[in-house]
Amino acid sequence: MDALLFSINAVFPLLLLSALGFYIKQNGTINDEFLKCGNKFCFKYGFWAMMFTNIYKIENLASIKWNVVIFAVLVIAVLFFIGLIYVIFFIKDSKQKGVVHQAFYRSNYATIGLPLAFNIAGNEGLVLAALISAFSVPAFNILAVISLSVFKESEENLNSGAIATLKKHLHTILFVLRQIATNPLILGVLAGLVCVAVRPYCGNWRFSTGNLRFLYKSIEALGSIAPWFSLILLGGQFKFSSVKKLLPQISASVIARLIFAPILGMLIVIFLPPIFGFRHFENAEYAALFALFATPEAVASVAMADQMDADSELAGQILVWTAFFSMLTLFAFTAFFKHFGFF
């Protein structure tokens, strides 16, 4: 019962805010333009502020838990290669291969993962999740561009010359670099890390306690809005359209994202650290990693699929149905890991 209550308190706030977003969209309180502008606001400003303040709370660079980061990136890489093998053999349409592939490794860490880590492990879980995002977000972007371009280009290149093929690959590389360099989540983390790095050389002076603390409080207030507001916006985007023709691809993606990824990911972080000479992880570390593996498809996956001429309709359906079923799987997994003492 304690595990179930813990899971309810961790997951149901996410469910209720998403349900509120769906309700107010259906009754006309908000419209598609509001959702579009709200998502842009959260992504460009809210998540930047949230990442900055979470990293700024780190005492010094020496306190960063690199073992957590290493295993987060390791699991993402493992899921990427397993998903690659699956789509090569089981997904026939080249425009759908990259979309389904993303479901194996790319999670909605910013919108759902960070508040989930906070609900499970408090501020410590949130700080760890923000740190992991500094490495997972660029990894997601790089791997997503590879997923969405490699299959399409492999067919197009059969009819293209060497120069045309080289130009396409160069365009892909520049696109990835631009995505990384302009991503507000990454920029927020980098700004926080710079402040932490120079702090010892400034007499340990802090924005949060100095004469300019009004500036820090303003940024902190802006960052506190982002994860909860984005959940409302996510609920408003739910569109339960016909899925019959895409049911096999959607089903495989939902299973990969919500069942296979968290099970394999947690098995790796629970059993592999001692093999590599690392200590076992602590509760907050498990919570931050679990939130990375178990959350639904990233919202950005739809826009990226559309931009790179993949099957954006399928990407949208995967986004909706992984978000919908994630409330059940997150509840079950959270209760399970709480019962066995990992949270």
Side-chain angles (χ1 to χ4, degrees), residues 9-337:
N9 286 303
V11 176
F12 271 46
L14 314 181
L15 172 62
L16 292 176
L17 287 175
S18 298
L20 173 64
F22 180 76
Y23 171 73
I24 61 178
K25 173 62 166 60
Q26 296 305 306
N27 70 14
T29 303
I30 60 176
N31 56 23
D32 290 331
E33 186 63 25
F34 179 89
L35 294 173
K36 181 179 179 181
C37 293
N39 279 320
K40 192 173 183 179
F41 163 77
C42 284
F43 185 68
K44 293 186 68 174
Y45 305 107
F47 283 124
W48 179 92
M50 181 181 69
M51 292 300 179
F52 172 79
T53 54
N54 287 335
I55 296 299
Y56 193 81
K57 294 173 184 176
I58 297 174
E59 287 297 321
N60 51 64
L61 293 180
S63 64
I64 294 178
K65 299 180 178 180
W66 293 107
N67 58 327
V68 180
V69 174
I70 290 171
F71 275 90
V73 176
L74 172 65
V75 172
I76 291 172
V78 170
L79 291 171
F80 176 87
F81 285 108
I82 292 175
L84 182 64
I85 294 170
Y86 176 84
V87 298
I88 288 174
F89 288 101
F90 296 103
I91 303 298
K92 305 303 181 185
D93 190 335
S94 60
K95 286 193 173 185
Q96 294 179 346
K97 288 179 183 288
V99 175
V100 175
H101 189 199
Q102 286 189 97
F104 278 81
Y105 62 86
R106 191 177 191 185
S107 66
N108 197 345
Y109 202 38
T111 303
I112 297 180
L114 269 68
L116 177 63
F118 174 77
N119 286 349
I120 293 175
N123 283 326
E124 186 179 0
L126 184 59
V127 170
L128 283 167
L131 176 64
I132 291 172
S133 70
F135 299 88
S136 64
V137 170
F140 287 156
N141 278 281
I142 293 170
L143 296 177
V145 173
I146 294 172
S147 297
L148 294 169
S149 61
V150 65
F151 299 110
K152 179 167 67 74
E153 289 190 355
S154 63
E155 290 189 359
E156 293 178 351
N157 290 344
L158 293 175
N159 301 316
S160 301
I163 295 178
T165 300
L166 180 62
K167 286 182 178 179
K168 289 177 182 177
H169 286 303
L170 180 61
H171 175 76
T172 299
I173 292 171
L174 293 175
F175 177 81
V176 173
L177 293 176
R178 186 166 59 250
Q179 289 285 310
I180 295 172
T182 59
N183 191 297
L185 282 78
I186 298 173
L187 294 177
V189 169
L190 290 177
L193 287 173
V194 169
C195 290
V196 173
V198 302
R199 185 181 295 158
Y201 305 101
C202 301
N204 283 322
W205 182 85
R206 299 168 183 261
F207 280 110
S208 53
T209 56
N211 293 330
L212 297 179
R213 60 183 176 275
F214 72 89
L215 179 60
Y216 177 83
K217 288 185 176 181
S218 299
I219 297 174
E220 186 178 39
L222 177 61
S224 66
I225 296 171
W228 311 111
F229 184 40
S230 62
L231 283 169
I232 296 174
L233 297 172
L234 178 64
Q237 295 173 81
F238 278 13
K239 294 179 181 178
F240 299 101
S241 58
S242 174
V243 298
K244 186 176 295 185
K245 65 177 181 178
L246 298 172
L247 186 59
Q249 297 90 330
I250 295 172
S251 300
S253 300
V254 170
I255 293 171
R257 175 90 303 272
L258 301 181
I259 298 177
F260 178 74
I263 290 177
L264 180 61
M266 292 304 288
L267 285 174
I268 290 174
V269 300
I270 290 171
F271 293 107
L272 252 63
I275 297 176
F276 287 94
F278 293 107
R279 60 170 176 80
H280 287 289
F281 291 124
E282 299 173 354
N283 290 8
E285 295 165 342
Y286 281 128
L289 290 166
F290 168 72
L292 176 68
F293 310 143
T295 43
E297 181 81 16
V299 175
S301 62
V302 181
M304 188 170 285
D306 183 63
Q307 184 174 353
M308 299 189 67
D309 196 30
D311 192 336
S312 57
E313 180 185 6
L314 174 60
Q317 288 297 320
I318 293 173
L319 170 65
V320 168
W321 291 106
T322 54
F324 180 79
F325 286 111
S326 68
M327 295 307 163
L328 175 62
T329 57
L330 288 176
F331 175 82
F333 279 126
T334 303
F336 176 85
F337 288 117

